[in-house]
Amino acid sequence: MLDAFEWYCEQCGRQVYREEIAVQNIVTDLPKVFERYYGTPANCTCKHCGTVMQPPVRR
Ligand SMILES: [Zn+2]
């Protein structure tokens, strides 16, 4: 069973990144997906308009 995680560009609305993983443990697996997205410039930069997505601010 795969879960798909998708991010869309804030500027142009096109898909920036998509990853499908088999989530075993949502508490430990989810941060890894976010890390691969926000932690990898190639993944969190929109290929269509060049906008770099910023991670949500944690308080
Ligand atoms: Zn864009």
Side-chain angles (χ1 to χ4, degrees):
M1 174 79 187
L2 287 176
D3 282 293
F5 297 89
E6 299 176 325
W7 282 268
Y8 289 89
C9 177
E10 295 163 1
Q11 292 298 324
C12 70
R14 283 146 132 172
Q15 186 175 285
V16 175
Y17 183 60
R18 175 185 167 92
E19 177 166 335
E20 288 181 3
I21 62 165
V23 175
Q24 310 286 342
N25 184 330
I26 201 151
V27 174
T28 57
D29 288 350
L30 223 51
K32 291 182 203 158
V33 178
F34 277 76
E35 175 63 30
R36 276 196 292 277
Y37 174 58
Y38 289 115
T40 310
N43 289 344
C44 65
T45 303
C46 178
K47 288 153 194 72
H48 305 284
C49 70
T51 303
V52 179
M53 305 309 141
Q54 301 298 326
V57 179
R58 290 210 182 92
R59 290 169 219 225

